[in-house]
Amino acid sequence: MKGIVTFLDKGRVKIDERSIIELDFKEECIIEESIKLFRDSDPCIIHRTFCANKIGMDILDELNRQYQGQKEVCFTAEELPDYIVDKINLPSTVGYIIIR
């Protein structure tokens, strides 16, 4: 998988598509990562961007590990793994998530 995330509504109409590193990560996850990497609880834009990229790449690595050889995976919003749900702000209008 390359890390392109497509959000669909409950009727399977495309809402949004973006790179996995451009997801709307939860603020507490970015701060936690910043503290871990930089001992910085108030990350500047450089640290914030680095942490968001790292969180996104960690999610992609886990997906590739769990779904080896698959070019894409599709989840309902309810089936999305905890290691993703715990890190992103998922709009209530999202019904399906495709990651390729």
Side-chain angles (χ1 to χ4, degrees):
M1 285 177 264
K2 295 181 180 182
I4 304 299
V5 182
T6 304
F7 297 99
L8 308 173
D9 67 12
K10 291 172 178 49
R12 294 187 186 251
V13 175
K14 184 176 170 180
I15 299 171
D16 192 15
E17 183 172 87
R18 59 179 69 182
S19 166
I20 201 161
I21 62 174
E22 296 173 338
L23 294 177
D24 182 15
F25 296 109
K26 293 181 178 177
E27 184 67 15
E28 62 266 20
C29 292
I30 290 174
I31 291 171
E32 180 181 309
E33 196 70 29
S34 180
I35 291 170
K36 186 175 13 171
L37 295 171
F38 305 111
R39 297 187 191 120
D40 183 0
S41 62
D42 186 21
C44 65
I45 189 67
I46 294 168
H47 286 174
R48 181 175 292 282
T49 302
F50 186 91
C51 291
N53 289 348
K54 180 155 183 350
I55 294 167
M57 294 310 294
D58 288 348
I59 291 171
L60 185 59
D61 288 346
E62 184 61 30
L63 286 165
N64 280 319
R65 195 171 16 261
Q66 286 189 4
Y67 301 96
Q68 290 179 355
Q70 293 187 32
K71 293 187 180 195
E72 78 175 31
V73 290
C74 181
F75 302 101
T76 65
E78 295 80 24
E79 296 172 333
L80 201 59
D82 288 342
Y83 60 88
I84 299 174
V85 171
D86 293 346
K87 292 184 172 66
I88 67 169
N89 294 309
L90 190 64
S92 60
T93 56
V94 173
Y96 300 91
I97 298 94
I98 300 169
I99 305 171
R100 51 183 160 73

